[in-house]
Amino acid sequence: MIKGRVMKSTGSWYQVKTDKGMLQCRLRGKFKQDDLKLTNPVAVGDWVLITMEDQQETAVITDILPRDNYIIRKSTRKQTYSHILASNVSQAFLMVTLNSPRTSLGFIDRFLVSTESFRIPTFILVNKSDTWAKEKDLEYLELIREIYDPLGYPVLVMSALQDNALKEELKPLLASKTTLIAGHSGVGKSTLLNHLVPDAEQATRPVSKFTAKGVHTTTFAEMFEFGENAYLIDTPGIKEFGILDIEEQELSHYFVELRKYLGQCKYHNCRHINEPGCKVMEVLEEGYIHPYRYDSYVKMLHEEDSHR
Ligand SMILES: Nc1nc2c(ncn2[C@@H]2O[C@H](COP(=O)(O)OP(=O)(O)O)[C@@H](O)[C@H]2O)c(=O)[nH]1
Ligand SMILES: [Mg+2]
Ligand SMILES: [Zn+2]
């Protein structure tokens, strides 16, 4: 039995890093996953046990070790299924852009709910600073800073294409950690990764002028070694981030600034919408919760409702 970590998956084959080097592995049989309906039973970042196949260079994955955490979203094709983007991550970088494509606050908040559910520290990287010319870009940047910095999600401004000094500043943040890089297609994830891991050679593609959406180049998540014990995970561009069914009562726990006030509402099952004696609404009025964040909360709550 050999222990290893899944670096890459291409659907039927998995590249697993072990003490004996990189091994090509496949799955045999079905894996039972604590009630999750997954389109990918084994995810990049998983620790697995494998057995060599007789007389072959290849191996079979026999066990998946319990995951510390994972980033999961609803499958875009099969609505009742979910897809694990990556597992066992120490931190997440959400890369966003202000225009072409513009990342919405709603998208950022959905991603943060998914990382917050495992308390995964998350940074917001605002990329393509070299392209900002318009007043409205800078206004949007200020809004992002104003909302997320105080919540403990550091907002870092960068240009993956040009600004080398900033990219160097990221390196100490990555030491001894597994860092997931997520975001829409075309925001510059692979460009940054190629700079940090020069032999990664991830395909990058220009954003199509016609739709202002990135062409989908990275199909599967892939993990790269980055110095001693540090890993970076490049992920395919996420169009929409469908969160999993979260209980109404649970959702407010994944908004850090709401979490602070939970238990202080008059009713224990308060949804913080229109209930009398709601502490969350009281502090919202007083300006301690950003209205855009509260908006996102309400929208996500109602979406959950409509799935019931
Ligand atoms: N102007 C500018 N273009 C960038 C920057 N970072 C990436 N790009 C370009 O944006 C396009 C998409 O980048 P890519 O890394 O493939 O995005 P990904 O889909 O997030 O992996 C490519 O044409 C890159 O050259 C940046 O900081 N500034
Ligand atoms: Mg890419
Ligand atoms: Zn309340």
Side-chain angles (χ1 to χ4, degrees):
M1 204 74 92
I2 309 167
K3 187 178 162 184
R5 193 156 189 217
V6 178
M7 303 289 285
K8 183 180 184 174
S9 113
T10 55
S12 45
W13 286 94
Y14 300 87
Q15 256 175 42
V16 178
K17 187 189 166 222
T18 70
D19 288 347
K20 302 186 181 351
M22 202 68 86
L23 293 172
Q24 295 290 332
C25 304
R26 49 197 188 88
L27 288 184
R28 190 179 286 154
K30 282 210 166 139
F31 278 94
K32 196 156 164 50
Q33 310 265 339
D34 25 286
D35 293 340
L36 291 173
K37 275 198 201 162
L38 294 173
T39 52
N40 58 334
V42 175
V44 166
D46 279 350
W47 287 97
V48 292
L49 298 180
I50 61 182
T51 311
M52 295 306 294
E53 294 192 272
D54 290 341
Q55 331 252 326
Q56 303 208 31
E57 307 274 283
T58 53
V60 172
I61 297 176
T62 56
D63 293 277
I64 306 172
L65 301 183
R67 297 175 176 123
D68 284 345
N69 59 38
Y70 46 85
I71 308 276
I72 195 166
R73 61 175 178 138
K74 276 193 184 135
S75 162
T76 38
R77 271 164 300 160
K78 301 185 197 165
Q79 278 298 315
T80 57
Y81 279 75
S82 344
H83 176 85
I84 298 189
L85 271 183
S87 69
N88 302 316
V89 308
S90 344
Q91 59 188 2
F93 285 179
L94 179 62
M95 194 176 255
V96 307
T97 47
L98 305 178
N99 63 53
S100 22
R102 175 188 175 106
T103 308
S104 71
L105 297 175
F107 179 83
I108 298 176
D109 290 331
R110 290 163 154 282
F111 185 78
L112 292 174
V113 161
S114 78
T115 54
E116 203 55 53
S117 67
F118 284 108
R119 308 284 197 272
I120 298 168
T122 306
F123 294 75
I124 297 174
L125 306 189
V126 190
N127 193 32
K128 305 201 188 183
S129 60
D130 58 291
T131 65
W132 304 338
K134 300 192 199 96
E135 188 82 2
K136 80 176 202 296
D137 289 338
L138 298 179
E139 278 171 17
Y140 194 34
L141 172 67
E142 276 326 302
L143 181 62
I144 289 176
R145 274 199 219 275
E146 174 192 310
I147 298 175
Y148 299 102
D149 259 331
L151 299 178
Y153 305 115
V155 175
L156 309 176
V157 169
M158 64 176 302
S159 165
L161 212 52
Q162 296 186 347
D163 191 353
N164 288 314
L166 251 164
K167 286 182 281 187
E168 293 307 313
E169 273 174 42
L170 286 180
K171 287 189 177 172
L173 278 179
L174 303 170
S176 303
K177 299 209 162 98
T178 298
T179 305
L180 172 104
I181 310 181
H184 287 316
S185 259
V187 295
K189 299 179 295 295
S190 300
T191 305
L192 173 66
L193 192 117
N194 285 339
H195 175 85
L196 295 169
V197 189
D199 54 2
E201 291 169 1
Q202 284 289 76
T204 62
R205 263 224 239 147
V207 175
S208 130
K209 287 220 165 51
F210 182 58
T211 57
K213 289 222 182 332
V215 183
H216 189 81
T217 29
T218 316
T219 335
F220 295 99
E222 183 169 359
M223 184 155 73
F224 297 91
E225 203 164 351
F226 172 73
E228 186 83 358
N229 234 349
Y231 296 91
L232 276 171
I233 303 175
D234 192 13
T235 58
I238 311 171
K239 226 184 245 157
E240 284 163 60
F241 204 85
I243 50 158
L244 291 197
D245 301 316
I246 290 177
E247 292 295 317
E248 277 183 356
Q249 296 304 312
E250 223 181 318
L251 184 62
S252 50
H253 287 84
Y254 305 148
F255 279 79
V256 265
E257 69 276 55
L258 264 60
R259 186 157 77 215
K260 279 206 293 212
Y261 302 104
L262 301 180
Q264 296 180 45
C265 300
K266 184 169 172 196
Y267 299 108
H268 76 279
N269 57 353
C270 187
R271 305 189 315 158
H272 327 298
I273 301 283
N274 51 16
E275 296 86 344
C278 171
K279 183 71 180 176
V280 167
M281 279 178 338
E282 186 188 313
V283 295
L284 175 72
E285 294 277 300
E286 289 165 359
Y288 293 108
I289 292 175
H290 201 290
Y292 281 119
R293 285 277 289 175
Y294 182 72
D295 255 16
S296 284
Y297 166 75
V298 173
K299 278 194 191 125
M300 288 172 76
L301 197 69
H302 288 151
E303 245 162 68
E304 283 304 300
D305 271 354
S306 66
H307 289 153
R308 262 156 239 280

